[in-house]
Amino acid sequence: MKLLESSRFEALNRALSINVGDSKIVGRIESYSCKMAGNDKQFYKKFNSGEGTTPRDLQALSPPQSGFGVSPGHSQYSRSVSGDEESPLCDTISRKTLFYLIATLNSAFQPDYDFSDAKSHEFSKEPSVVWVMNAIDSNLSTTAGEQYRTLRPHLWAALEDEIVLTECDIYSYNPDLTSDPFSEDGSLWSFNYFFYNKKLKRIVFFSCRAINPFHAMDSGIGSDFTVDEEEEDEFF
């Protein structure tokens, strides 16, 4: 996955480092081309090396964590194989798209983390753009208040221009605590969304967390997240 440079996203990332009360927000938005780069080709070959495995094979996803349900266009229940009971119908993802999500995580967090063994059940498909916007706005507005409300229109305008939100399938990464790079002590909440535009062959990755700044100072986590006031005023 090739990182696509974006001055707008770089400015947003600086603005998404927000100190407020007893918490600190650290956000990052990056755009990636789905063109394989570096070790991607070798990983892709290994990823699909299982006997009888093809890139079109479908894998089961977990339900969205921001609420329960399935994506629009799917019925909410399906008959079990036995036909005598009903069970929730889960979303699915092709192995090729799953590869793109995992490769994006590897590119975003290398060399500190390796997600090559991530499974499809650690990901979810979100029901709609509005659903995701509301979830993101809720987290950031609750924690950052007016600072985020001022930033919000610039953030969503930049995402729209880069990825065309209404044309995207949106996925989230919801790992167990042992796999989550944001699960260290002091983390209050986090989210990891992938906006995948198949037509553009591009993924925008939006990762954000809120941490306890006092723990961050003790552990050294917060040392990279200082922001000048001039950078905070860049959009305002």
Side-chain angles (χ1 to χ4, degrees):
M1 306 293 284
K2 180 181 179 181
L3 177 64
L4 304 175
E5 294 185 6
S6 169
S7 58
R8 292 178 75 182
F9 282 176
E10 290 173 3
L12 280 169
N13 292 343
R14 291 191 292 269
L16 280 169
S17 182
I18 304 171
N19 287 294
V20 54
D22 59 355
S23 61
K24 181 180 183 69
I25 293 174
V26 182
R28 176 170 55 155
I29 306 174
E30 294 174 333
S31 183
Y32 290 90
S33 166
C34 292
K35 182 178 180 180
M36 296 184 194
N39 296 324
D40 288 341
K41 291 183 179 179
Q42 182 178 356
F43 174 40
Y44 184 71
K45 184 176 180 180
K46 180 180 179 181
F47 189 73
N48 292 298
S49 62
E51 185 176 352
T53 299
T54 72
R56 294 184 179 181
D57 288 349
L58 298 179
Q59 306 277 296
L61 296 166
S62 291
Q65 290 204 349
S66 48
F68 294 99
V70 294
S71 298
H74 295 286
S75 59
Q76 189 171 2
Y77 291 93
S78 64
R79 288 287 179 181
S80 66
V81 175
S82 63
D84 57 3
E85 61 184 50
E86 291 186 336
S87 59
L89 178 66
C90 65
D91 278 308
T92 58
I93 188 172
S94 70
R95 286 189 63 82
K96 185 173 185 179
T97 301
L98 179 61
F99 165 81
Y100 287 148
L101 302 187
I102 295 174
T104 298
L105 286 172
N106 281 338
S107 296
F109 290 103
Q110 65 181 355
D112 298 321
Y113 296 91
D114 183 357
F115 298 88
S116 300
D117 293 328
K119 307 301 181 184
S120 63
H121 65 78
E122 297 178 75
F123 297 86
S124 303
K125 186 175 183 181
E126 301 301 321
S128 69
V129 173
V130 173
W131 180 291
V132 172
M133 290 177 70
N134 287 340
I136 291 174
D137 288 345
S138 177
N139 271 328
L140 290 172
S141 294
T142 299
T143 306
E146 187 60 33
Q147 292 185 67
Y148 175 67
R149 284 188 285 273
T150 304
L151 177 64
R152 181 187 182 280
H154 304 282
L155 184 152
W156 290 113
L159 279 166
E160 173 63 26
D161 291 345
E162 178 70 15
I163 201 69
V164 190
L165 293 169
T166 55
E167 295 181 2
C168 291
D169 287 328
I170 307 175
Y171 300 91
S172 59
Y173 177 57
N174 307 299
D176 57 45
L177 292 179
T178 59
S179 304
D180 189 352
F182 293 160
S183 64
E184 72 270 4
D185 292 340
S187 179
L188 304 175
W189 54 257
S190 66
F191 60 72
N192 302 280
Y193 288 109
F194 307 80
F195 298 81
Y196 173 42
N197 188 315
K198 187 175 182 179
K199 182 179 178 181
L200 295 177
K201 298 181 179 179
R202 183 181 302 171
I203 289 176
V204 166
F205 179 53
F206 188 176
S207 179
C208 191
R209 62 175 168 165
I211 59 175
N212 183 313
F214 301 105
H215 177 272
M217 291 178 184
D218 292 340
S219 63
I221 296 172
S223 60
D224 295 333
F225 301 138
T226 56
V227 177
D228 294 334
E229 290 184 3
E230 292 181 0
E231 292 175 341
E232 289 182 335
D233 293 339
E234 193 163 349
F235 290 100
F236 315 136

